[in-house]
């Protein structure tokens, strides 16, 4: 059976058609600039590539474009839409309503709508994707896979903020955490890779992509994670500030006459390593080149980045009273040997020694610590789409 995995953003739609038996992607691509002018990209596992401007007024038109491309006689990968057995939707915020993936029905749609308050940019877009598929493929079962679900196992001591209790009681202000699909997938894979029993293991996953988060996974369950009510908390990221003193917001509002929303937008889009490097770049490849050329701001940004990751790892070692394995994943975690070396450089107290040669090797799954290291450290590539396809298959 084939599963169509959809990840709808406010003006984009990423998709993959995955063969569930072989767990391979038959086709992947993205629709961008939905509602603006429309750009369609498609790539099949047979080598076909399509890139074109298509007017995509709505997400429904974009889904239609994807379906048409999948069955297109020359470049498509299936003969008819009957070959799509299910659709798996990535949904960003499940609030406290969803601790697991669910088959989508009208009740679920209402519950996702109710969580939109918590993720106003993401959940409405996810719902548009769900409704578009419902209209175009009314008989195909759909599953919602939530970014927040894996973290619903966090205890109250980890998810409560030090605020008056009414803010949790009335508005459900608490830590939710994100990238749950990836943290779940990678922690399971890390346990297998290291020969650990997941039900008796202490694993820290560092998902370091454009957005980045660290999670403490105790016996297969998330017990703490660095992102919060929103994905702004935690690590210093590509363009997001991560943890800051909340009083900074009012200070900037007063100094620059900005609104709170403007400052929050700055913290989301103009901060992190991009802001710290004077606007140079949020891409670690650019920052590494600049730092090698002696750019002080780029050097500082990279130092702050690794230091913050190491501090979160340290706090999760404390939270779990130890750690068996640490996994690096996502764009930076999988590819940036310098960041990994800098982070591991802080972890000598755990009995970890970096294997420099292995750390510089481009490979799939790989230990980057020496064999005598007391804690195993490895690169474990994430695959959120495959994780969504697996969840979808498990439920239908
Ligand atoms: P997202 O899915 O959040 O957009 P990714 O996990 O794809 O992010 O990570 C994207 C980031 O990974 C890029 O911004 C870049 O900083 C980093 N990256 C990708 N490839 C490399 C590489 N070869 N070396 C260093 N950093 C890389």
């Amino acid at each position: 059976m084939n599963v169509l995995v959809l990840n709808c953003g406010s003006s984009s739609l990423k998709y993959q058609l995955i063969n569930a038996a072989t767990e391979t992607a038959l086709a992947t691509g993205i629709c961008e600039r939905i509602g603006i002018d429309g750009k369609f990209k498609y790539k099949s596992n047979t080598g076909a590539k399509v890139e074109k401007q298509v007017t995509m007024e709505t997400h429904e038109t974009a889904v239609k474009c994807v379906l048409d491309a999948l069955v297109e006689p020359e470049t498509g990968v299936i003969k008819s839409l009957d070959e799509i057995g299910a659709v798996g939707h990535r949904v960003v915020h499940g609030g406290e309503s969803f601790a697991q993936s669910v088959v989508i029905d009208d009740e679920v749609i209402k519950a996702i709508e109710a969580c939109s308050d918590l993720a106003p940019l993401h959940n409405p877009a996810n719902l548009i994707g769900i409704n578009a598929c419902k209209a175009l493929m009314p008989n195909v079962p759909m599953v919602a896979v939530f970014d927040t679900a894996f973290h619903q196992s966090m205890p109250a001591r980890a998810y409560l903020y030090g605020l008056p209790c009414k803010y949790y009681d009335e508005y459900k202000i608490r830590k939710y955490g994100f990238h749950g699909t990836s943290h779940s997938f990678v922690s399971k894979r890390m346990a297998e890779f290291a020969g650990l029993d997941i039900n008796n293991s202490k694993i820290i996953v560092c998902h370091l992509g454009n957005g980045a988060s660290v999670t403490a996974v105790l016996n297969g369950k998330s017990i703490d994670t660095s992102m919060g009510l929103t994905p702004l908390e935690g690590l210093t990221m590509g363009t997001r500030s991560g943890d800051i003193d909340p009083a900074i917001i009012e200070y900037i509002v007063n100094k620059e006459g900005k609104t709170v929303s403007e400052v929050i937008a700055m913290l989301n889009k103009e901060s992190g390593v991009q802001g710290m490097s004077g606007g140079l770049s949020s891409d670690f490849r650019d920052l590494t080149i600049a730092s090698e050329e002696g750019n002080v701001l780029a050097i500082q940004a990279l130092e702050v980045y690794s230091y913050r990751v190491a501090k979160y790892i340290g706090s999760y070692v404390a939270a779990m009273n130890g750690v068996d394995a640490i996994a690096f994943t996502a764009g930076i975690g999988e590819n940036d040997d310098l960041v990994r070396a800098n982070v591991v450089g802080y972890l000598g107290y755990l009995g970890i020694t970096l294997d420099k040669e292995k750390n510089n090797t481009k490979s799939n799954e790989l230990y980057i610590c020496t064999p005598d290291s007391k804690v195993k450290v490895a690169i474990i590539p994430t695959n959120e789409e495959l994780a969504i396809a697996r969840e979808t298959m498990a439920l239908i």
Side-chain angles (χ1 to χ4, degrees), residues 14 207-211 282-285 330-332 335-336 362:
K14 286 189 204 146
H207 176 111
L208 310 180
N210 243 330
S282 63
D283 193 310
F284 278 62
R285 289 162 285 202
I332 298 153
N335 296 300
D336 197 318
K362 292 266 169 279

Side-chain angles (χ1 to χ4, degrees), residues 148-182:
T148 49
F150 182 59
H151 302 299
Q152 278 298 300
S153 47
M154 282 189 290
R157 65 173 178 272
Y159 71 67
L160 286 178
Y161 290 116
L163 294 172
C165 56
K166 75 163 197 167
Y167 291 108
Y168 173 63
D169 294 342
E170 287 180 25
Y171 309 126
K172 294 287 167 220
I173 294 177
R174 51 161 281 180
K175 183 186 273 286
Y176 288 96
F178 298 87
H179 294 137
T181 316
S182 176

Side-chain angles (χ1 to χ4, degrees), residues 150 183-193 198 203:
F150 182 59
H183 287 294
S184 167
F185 180 88
V186 172
S187 56
K188 283 191 187 75
R189 191 56 212 135
M190 179 77 239
E192 283 168 10
F193 187 67
I198 186 92
I203 296 173

Side-chain angles (χ1 to χ4, degrees), residues 1 24 128 139 154 203 211 215 245 254 292 303 318-319 372 389:
M1 186 194 282
T24 50
I128 293 172
N139 300 318
M154 282 189 290
I203 296 173
T215 295
D245 179 343
N254 291 340
E292 282 164 359
E303 281 180 357
D372 60 342

